[in-house]
Amino acid sequence: PRPALRVSPRPRPMAILANAARARSAARAPAEEEAARASRTTGETEILRAYEDELSDLWVEAHGVVDRVLADDTKGSRHQRFILRLPSGHTVLVSHNIDLAPRIPDLRAGDAVSFRGEYEWNDRGGVIHWTHHDPDGRKQGGGLERDGRLYE
């Protein structure tokens, strides 16, 4: 039997952090705002550095816009796949295990998606996977977020 899938409508760490950052940035001076903006791009910076250095097995948290929705990978565990364009323009393949986590319904090009997952290098920009809970409970796991809903 397949494990129970979880969709969480409640705010989770990614959403809480993003909302808190927006609220704080409204009251900041320009120099403080620039520092805050730099810290929000840390995950993207880690991805770009990992791509340049051909590194893998890196847990990252970032956001982007769906560039293309691809057909599901149905060999072995099923995965929802899409190309995500980061703010820098760099693209990554997101491979979201839909046997362990619910798919993002009606995903379309132009949708904003935040993620926490594991980066694996490839010559096309890299792959983000482990965007789901750990069924064995050994790792923190990851997730995808769109429109305030977490898919883990």
Side-chain angles (χ1 to χ4, degrees), residues 35-146:
R37 187 176 305 116
S39 72
R40 287 193 300 267
T41 62
T42 300
E44 182 178 11
T45 301
E46 290 173 357
I47 291 169
L48 294 172
R49 189 170 300 134
Y51 177 70
E52 290 173 8
D53 296 340
E54 300 184 15
L55 302 174
S56 291
D57 306 320
L58 177 68
W59 282 90
V60 293
E61 188 172 313
H63 68 277
V65 174
V66 175
D67 193 62
R68 283 189 325 243
V69 177
L70 306 173
D72 287 352
D73 176 1
T74 57
K75 294 183 177 132
S77 297
R78 298 173 309 140
H79 288 78
Q80 181 179 27
R81 301 179 317 142
F82 56 95
I83 305 296
L84 194 69
R85 184 170 303 279
L86 305 178
S88 65
H90 184 85
T91 58
V92 292
L93 168 66
V94 176
S95 184
H96 179 59
N97 188 322
I98 54 176
D99 285 334
L100 294 176
R103 79 171 42 253
I104 298 178
D106 303 317
L107 187 65
R108 299 180 195 283
D111 287 354
V113 175
S114 297
F115 65 86
R116 174 177 158 68
E118 189 174 36
Y119 175 84
E120 297 291 335
W121 184 88
N122 70 24
D123 62 356
R124 294 181 163 190
V127 178
I128 304 295
H129 70 120
W130 263 96
T131 57
H132 54 80
H133 66 281
D134 180 356
D136 298 326
R138 293 178 299 186
K139 299 184 189 186
Q140 182 179 357
L144 299 175
E145 183 179 350
R146 183 189 67 176

